[in-house]
Amino acid sequence: MNVRRLIPTTAVAGAVALGLTALSACSTSDAADGGNADKLKVTASFYPMQFLAEKIGGEHVAVTSLTKPGVEPHDLELTPRQIGSISESDYVLYLKGIQPAVDDAIVQSGVKNTVDAATLTTLENHGSEVSGHDHGHEGEEEHADEHGHEDEHGHEEEAHEEHSEGDGHNHGEEGGADPHIWLDPVKYAEVAKGVGKSLEKADPDHAADYKKNTDALVAELGELNTAYETGLKNPATKTFITTHSAFGYLAERYGLTQQGIAGIDPEAEPSPARIQEIHTIAEEEKATTVFFETLASDRTAKTLAKDTGLKTGVLDPLEGITDKSQGADYIEVMESNLAALQKALGAK
């Protein structure tokens, strides 16, 4: 992983103190922000967590995302004010292993209702190549239920130990657990269930609404899963090439093979040997398209496509929504991703 992405824990600890000072200085203006005084103050680490908090929390929450639109989440550097605002939250939702700066700040914050989405489903190891097969999803719902109440800060470590593969800031390194669980609608629904239960516990006065909203979102994700199953049932090729190896869970879920030019880190440079290997794979597997993403450079994809005579296309890992996104929210962008995959794979 790029060294520049890591922020020392000591720096974060110092920034916490600064952040609390900055927060107290601006608390008057924050309090004047009408309409949010009685709402549960929720901090989400980046867009996939923000979407869950907003959909499930509904009118009872005021959600702030630490990652602004257009910012590559892995590169996020927190301001002292952001670090201070975490400590002032009623509820924090994040995904450990994606953003080391956020992980460290949350540990320092001491917020009681802190939920790591990685503890609400099972994480797996994915390299640059991920072949599609049924990988034993039995028991995952029970796993989600088992961890659904482990949302308080005091219970985090027990849950994290089970997922220690992905805990070591090794997002872009071989052998680390792949954190891109939100790109599998089934896993994302498991996380949604756990988030719903934790919000019920954090704010019992509105538990019925949280449950209703969770059920509605899980149903919507179920429809999305059915659309993917149906839409990708009979592809001409099962192999797709991407600059960012974020789609391992999606590939496994729907029987596809992801061939990443680099690794899980979206900015990692591919080796010459890997480029040559992709050339061979594209020819043998009749791959048609090299996919790039909206928040990172398309230079590698275009270079490879030119060398191999392949097309380029967008497959969005949904780490953020901008005006360049192929949709206004998670569901719409996932539908656009499905259409892009169907075209590239020759699925009917």
Side-chain angles (χ1 to χ4, degrees), residues 6-23:
L6 301 180
I7 299 177
T9 302
T10 52
V12 172
V16 169
L18 290 173
L20 288 173
T21 303
L23 188 72

Side-chain angles (χ1 to χ4, degrees), residues 123-205:
L123 270 66
E124 299 167 12
N125 293 342
H126 292 144
S128 293
E129 175 182 355
V130 178
S131 298
H133 58 272
D134 184 5
H135 53 292
H137 294 291
E138 296 83 11
E140 285 184 359
E141 185 167 334
E142 289 81 358
H143 182 88
D145 289 342
E146 175 189 343
H147 290 286
H149 295 290
E150 293 181 354
D151 53 8
E152 295 186 5
H153 193 70
H155 296 136
E156 271 188 63
E157 292 306 316
E158 179 181 348
H160 288 170
E161 286 174 7
E162 186 167 338
H163 298 282
S164 58
E165 291 175 297
D167 287 353
H169 295 174
N170 55 2
H171 177 65
E173 299 172 1
E174 291 300 321
D178 181 356
H180 296 87
I181 49 178
W182 66 92
L183 291 166
D184 175 353
V186 176
K187 283 189 174 293
Y188 201 42
E190 291 171 357
V191 174
K193 291 176 184 177
V195 170
K197 289 178 180 178
S198 64
L199 279 172
E200 290 176 39
K201 187 175 180 180
D203 183 18
D205 288 347

Side-chain angles (χ1 to χ4, degrees), residues 113-126:
N113 294 302
T114 297
V115 180
D116 173 10
T119 66
L120 302 177
T121 185
T122 50
L123 270 66
E124 299 167 12
N125 293 342
H126 292 144

Side-chain angles (χ1 to χ4, degrees), residues 42-262:
V42 176
T43 295
S45 56
F46 72 130
Y47 178 71
M49 302 298 102
Q50 176 189 348
F51 179 78
L52 290 179
E54 290 176 343
K55 292 286 282 188
I56 296 172
E59 65 182 4
H60 304 302
V61 300
V63 182
T64 299
S65 177
L66 295 173
T67 309
K68 303 305 178 187
V71 174
E72 217 289 330
H74 311 279
D75 293 334
L76 181 67
E77 294 184 9
L78 297 176
T79 66
R81 179 173 178 175
Q82 284 179 307
I83 294 173
S85 71
I86 295 172
S87 299
E88 293 297 307
S89 302
D90 298 314
Y91 179 100
V92 177
L93 178 61
Y94 76 117
L95 179 58
K96 192 169 185 179
I98 285 279
Q99 299 167 291
V102 173
D103 296 348
D104 292 339
I106 288 172
V107 169
Q108 298 286 336
S109 73
V111 175
K112 177 182 178 182
N113 294 302
T114 297
V115 180
D116 173 10
T119 66
L120 302 177
T121 185
T122 50
L123 270 66
E124 299 167 12
N125 293 342
H126 292 144
S128 293
E129 175 182 355
V130 178
S131 298
H133 58 272
D134 184 5
H135 53 292
H137 294 291
E138 296 83 11
E140 285 184 359
E141 185 167 334
E142 289 81 358
H143 182 88
D145 289 342
E146 175 189 343
H147 290 286
H149 295 290
E150 293 181 354
D151 53 8
E152 295 186 5
H153 193 70
H155 296 136
E156 271 188 63
E157 292 306 316
E158 179 181 348
H160 288 170
E161 286 174 7
E162 186 167 338
H163 298 282
S164 58
E165 291 175 297
D167 287 353
H169 295 174
N170 55 2
H171 177 65
E173 299 172 1
E174 291 300 321
D178 181 356
H180 296 87
I181 49 178
W182 66 92
L183 291 166
D184 175 353
V186 176
K187 283 189 174 293
Y188 201 42
E190 291 171 357
V191 174
K193 291 176 184 177
V195 170
K197 289 178 180 178
S198 64
L199 279 172
E200 290 176 39
K201 187 175 180 180
D203 183 18
D205 288 347
H206 301 112
D209 285 345
Y210 294 141
K211 186 174 191 315
K212 179 182 177 181
N213 293 342
T214 300
D215 291 345
L217 177 57
V218 168
E220 198 171 2
L221 292 171
E223 291 174 2
L224 182 65
N225 175 52
T226 299
Y228 265 78
E229 286 180 336
T230 304
L232 299 173
K233 188 171 290 185
N234 298 304
T237 177
K238 293 185 176 182
T239 299
F240 63 97
I241 301 168
T242 177
T243 56
H244 183 185
S245 299
F247 302 91
Y249 292 107
L250 186 150
E252 286 195 88
R253 178 67 61 188
Y254 304 110
L256 307 177
T257 298
Q258 168 187 253
Q259 290 288 351
I261 297 174

